[in-house]
Amino acid sequence: MKLEAVDYNAPDAAERFVESLRNTGFGVLKNHPIQQQLVQSIYDNWHGFFNTEEKEAFRFNVETQDGFFPAEVSEVAKGHTKKDIKEYFHYYPWGQCPDTLKAELQRYYEEANKLASQLLGWVEAYSPDGVSERYSQPLSSMIDGSEKTLLRVLHYPPLNGDEELGAIRAGAHEDINLLTVLPAANEPGLQVLTKEGEWLDVPCDFGNLIINIGDMLQEASGGYFPSTTHRVINPEGADKTKARISLPLFLHPKPEVVLSERHTANSYLMERLRELGVI
C-alpha cells in the first residue's frame, strides 16, 4: 500500500481525499493554496528561535498551555515510557508569542484554518448518510470561532548519540482533535500504521500538505473515519545531524460541541489530557 498525493485542483479531489482518509486515516494534498514560501520562512525563523535563550522567556503557562515547552517536559505518548525527543511552542491567537514572529504565524494560522474548514466540508460531503446523520452540526461549523484550535511549532533537535535508549522523536500515538493539518516537514521521518500492522512512510515532498484524522472525528463519525496511529522515527546516518521543524495545526471544536451521545468536545479533551498526564 502506498499513500498517494491528491491534486487539490483536480475535479475529483474531494472524493479521492476523503477516500484516502477513510482507508488510511491520512490524506496528502499537492497544489494546495498554502504558500511554500510562508512555510519555509516560518521554519527558518523558528529554527533560529529554538536555538536562542529567548525561548525561556516564553515558558508555557500551566493553566492555558500556551508558550514554550522545553524537552524536559516533552510528552510521553500514551502507552509509552520514554519521553519524545523534542521541544515545542503552543501558539493560540490569544496566547503569548514573540512579537517578531507573531504576524507571520498568525497569517499561517488563519490560512490553514480556512483550508481546514473546506476539508471538513469535503469530509461531510462524502460521509455516507448513516454517518453524516451522527454529526450534531455541520463539521466545519464545529470549529467556527473556536479558541481551542492549536498551532504547534515543533523542534526536533539534531541527535548527538547520547539519547535515552529506545527514545524516538515522537512515539506512536493518535491525535485528539478533529483533523490535523501538517505541511510536509523539512526532513523525513513521519510514518503511519496500516490496518495490516505495517509502518508506511508518509510522502514528505516539500510543498505537500499532510492531513490526518484525530480521535474526535472518529468519535463523531461512530468510527467510520479512523484515527490512525503515527510516529516520527529517528533519522539514520548523516541525517542525524539535521534538526527537524514541524508545524501541525490541531483543529479543535468549540468546547460545547456535541461529538456523540457520550461526549462533548470538552469532556473528550479532558478525558484524553488526563490519560496523557498533562492535567
Side-chain angles (χ1 to χ4, degrees):
M1 190 174 84
K2 191 165 176 251
L3 262 174
E4 298 278 348
V6 173
D7 188 331
Y8 172 85
N9 296 312
D12 61 347
E15 186 174 5
R16 286 182 55 215
F17 171 76
V18 177
E19 186 182 2
S20 179
L21 283 183
R22 163 76 173 141
N23 291 334
T24 68
F26 272 73
V28 180
L29 288 177
K30 60 184 180 182
N31 299 326
H32 53 81
I34 294 176
Q35 295 175 358
Q36 278 178 251
Q37 193 178 352
L38 175 61
V39 173
Q40 185 62 58
S41 180
I42 290 171
Y43 285 170
D44 293 344
N45 290 330
W46 282 83
H47 188 267
F49 172 80
F50 283 115
N51 284 318
T52 66
E53 290 308 307
E54 183 193 1
K55 61 190 181 185
E56 295 297 340
F58 293 91
R59 202 173 176 92
F60 71 98
N61 183 320
V62 176
E63 285 77 35
T64 53
Q65 296 281 298
D66 60 312
F68 170 65
F69 291 73
E72 63 265 21
V73 297
S74 183
E75 297 160 311
V76 177
K78 186 179 172 182
H80 290 251
T81 56
K82 312 281 188 195
K83 279 191 185 299
D84 292 342
I85 307 169
K86 65 188 183 188
E87 57 186 356
Y88 49 91
F89 194 99
H90 277 185
Y91 175 75
Y92 297 94
W94 47 260
Q96 56 181 326
C97 184
D99 290 341
T100 53
L101 299 173
K102 175 151 187 165
E104 184 178 62
L105 210 57
Q106 179 62 22
R107 183 180 152 207
Y108 176 81
Y109 185 95
E110 289 170 7
E111 288 186 14
N113 261 288
K114 183 178 173 185
L115 178 59
S117 182
Q118 180 186 16
L119 298 180
L120 283 172
W122 287 6
V123 169
E124 183 158 8
Y126 286 95
S127 295
D129 290 346
V131 174
S132 56
E133 285 163 9
R134 291 175 169 271
Y135 303 146
S136 64
Q137 63 190 87
L139 292 178
S140 58
S141 75
M142 291 182 178
I143 62 166
D144 274 354
S146 173
E147 294 194 340
K148 294 288 186 183
T149 289
L150 161 66
L151 181 58
R152 174 183 282 177
V153 189
L154 273 158
H155 177 236
Y156 301 102
L159 302 178
N160 54 22
D162 63 358
E163 289 76 26
E164 190 180 4
L165 194 66
I168 65 172
R169 282 179 160 178
H173 65 284
E174 300 81 43
D175 292 345
I176 302 171
N177 42 290
L178 283 172
L179 285 180
T180 301
V181 178
L182 177 73
N186 59 351
E187 296 298 328
L190 181 63
Q191 296 184 323
V192 56
L193 189 64
T194 67
K195 291 170 185 166
E196 295 73 39
E198 295 174 1
W199 287 105
L200 184 70
D201 288 320
V202 176
C204 66
D205 299 349
F206 187 61
N208 280 355
L209 203 61
I210 300 158
I211 295 94
N212 66 275
I213 295 168
D215 293 343
M216 289 184 178
L217 183 53
Q218 178 174 270
E219 181 75 18
S221 67
Y224 180 80
F225 288 107
S227 177
T228 313
T229 303
H230 53 286
R231 67 183 183 181
V232 180
I233 59 168
N234 298 341
E236 295 295 325
D239 283 341
K240 287 184 178 179
T241 60
K242 293 181 181 174
R244 186 174 186 270
I245 296 277
S246 182
L247 199 60
L249 181 78
F250 300 106
L251 285 178
H252 277 273
K254 296 175 288 261
E256 68 276 10
V257 166
V258 174
L259 295 176
S260 66
E261 289 179 357
R262 301 186 303 162
H263 280 297
T264 63
N266 184 63
S267 73
Y268 197 89
L269 178 62
M270 291 303 115
E271 180 180 284
R272 287 299 309 277
L273 292 179
R274 277 192 291 273
E275 288 174 355
L276 289 168
V278 176
I279 57 170

